Amino acid sequence: MKRLKLSLLALVAVISATAFAINSTAIHADTVAAIQKQHKSGYLNAEGQWLWFENGQRYTGFRHYMGTYYWFINGVRQDSGWRRAWGMTYYTDAEGRAVQGVQQINGKVYDFGNNGTFFSRGIVKDAYVNVPGVGWRWVNNGQMFSGFRHYMGTYYWFENGVRADNGWHFAWGFAYYTGKDGRALQGEQTIDGQTLNFGDDNTFYLRYFDGGSANPGDDPRRFMQPVTDLQFDYDENGHPIPGTAYWDN
């Protein structure tokens, strides 16, 4: 009798396990026909493929899922591409997620905001931004910038977006020097054992004794005497505008 009871219990356990397995399969792997018949909605496993359904129909468009938005076409998640919805432009990454913040896409840098709206604000116009996977870069019209940019009260020199420290730079017909923190120097500075004058009026250029223009082949260290009669145009804040220098004859 005891052996019979054990056999019956084992049989019940096998039947229960089989029923649970069948039920689990039905829940997690419906057929498309079953989903359509039951008018189900959501991200469902249908015949071995994850698809988005709305009222039993394969869905096309954006759907919010696990904290972000995904784009679907005929129920299939779409990765790495531009999307249009609600009159705005979006981009989904390699995992299908709508991106936000600063992003570099096909060589151009875009701004998608940081407030959970995800739509593109267009290319980054002219700013020092942290590009994911790249680092801090100066971007101009969506491209890595080379040249001087005014930032936080002084000028910095950038090469392909990267701040250039400790070096000579030529711009607007003049020579400049950026220090170890990337800032353009002014006043009297000792560089490679030579005392040089970069002025003290926020123009930052190396003073030339003969008023000649700088060329990339010049050695700036040989120009050591100040120029006293060079004038500048000024912006609305009263700051001299580099590149607008002229002689006051």
Side-chain angles (χ1 to χ4, degrees):
M1 180 63 70
K2 186 175 182 180
R3 180 175 296 178
L4 179 59
K5 285 183 178 180
L6 289 174
S7 298
L8 288 173
L9 288 173
L11 179 60
V12 169
V14 170
I15 293 173
S16 298
T18 303
F20 177 78
I22 293 172
N23 188 49
S24 296
T25 302
I27 292 172
H28 297 291
D30 282 335
T31 64
V32 172
I35 292 171
Q36 291 173 336
K37 184 176 181 179
Q38 298 173 44
H39 302 286
K40 289 185 176 181
S41 296
Y43 203 26
L44 307 174
N45 190 337
E47 300 173 2
Q49 183 180 16
W50 285 94
L51 302 169
W52 195 283
F53 288 88
E54 289 289 328
N55 295 319
Q57 301 300 313
R58 293 190 181 205
Y59 180 75
T60 294
F62 268 124
R63 274 296 176 260
H64 192 266
Y65 182 66
M66 297 184 69
T68 188
Y69 286 87
Y70 294 82
W71 183 263
F72 298 89
I73 295 179
N74 197 28
V76 180
R77 191 188 80 186
Q78 304 296 304
D79 303 339
S80 300
W82 292 99
R83 320 296 172 195
R84 287 285 298 176
W86 309 302
M88 303 292 184
T89 301
Y90 304 80
Y91 190 86
T92 53
D93 63 17
E95 296 179 346
R97 299 170 62 90
V99 301
Q100 62 177 333
V102 173
Q103 301 288 334
Q104 187 174 27
I105 301 169
N106 297 327
K108 289 189 176 182
V109 182
Y110 297 84
D111 177 18
F112 292 87
N114 288 295
N115 60 353
T117 54
F118 303 97
F119 68 87
S120 173
R121 277 69 170 171
I123 59 174
V124 173
K125 299 296 185 183
D126 195 40
Y128 197 37
V129 294
N130 191 0
V131 181
V134 178
W136 284 93
R137 298 291 186 271
W138 196 284
V139 176
N140 179 259
N141 290 325
Q143 304 290 336
M144 300 301 177
F145 176 75
S146 292
F148 268 124
R149 274 295 180 266
H150 191 266
Y151 183 64
M152 298 183 68
T154 188
Y155 285 85
Y156 294 82
W157 184 269
F158 297 90
E159 293 284 352
N160 196 30
V162 180
R163 193 187 78 187
D165 302 341
N166 293 320
W168 289 102
H169 310 290
F170 291 86
W172 309 301
F174 295 96
Y176 303 80
Y177 192 89
T178 53
K180 63 182 180 180
D181 58 358
R183 297 169 63 92
L185 301 182
Q186 63 177 332
E188 286 194 353
Q189 302 287 338
T190 300
I191 300 172
D192 296 334
Q194 297 285 338
T195 300
L196 304 176
N197 180 17
F198 294 88
D200 56 5
D201 57 357
N202 294 320
T203 54
F204 304 100
Y205 68 92
L206 178 66
R207 270 43 180 177
Y208 286 78
F209 72 92
D210 61 357
S213 62
N215 296 298
D218 290 344
D219 180 357
R221 291 173 295 179
R222 65 188 177 88
F223 302 108
M224 298 174 59
Q225 298 183 27
V227 171
T228 59
D229 54 354
L230 195 63
Q231 303 297 315
F232 280 82
D233 291 335
Y234 293 84
D235 62 23
E236 64 273 12
N237 297 314
H239 299 143
I241 303 174
T244 63
Y246 59 92
W247 296 105
D248 186 13
N249 295 323

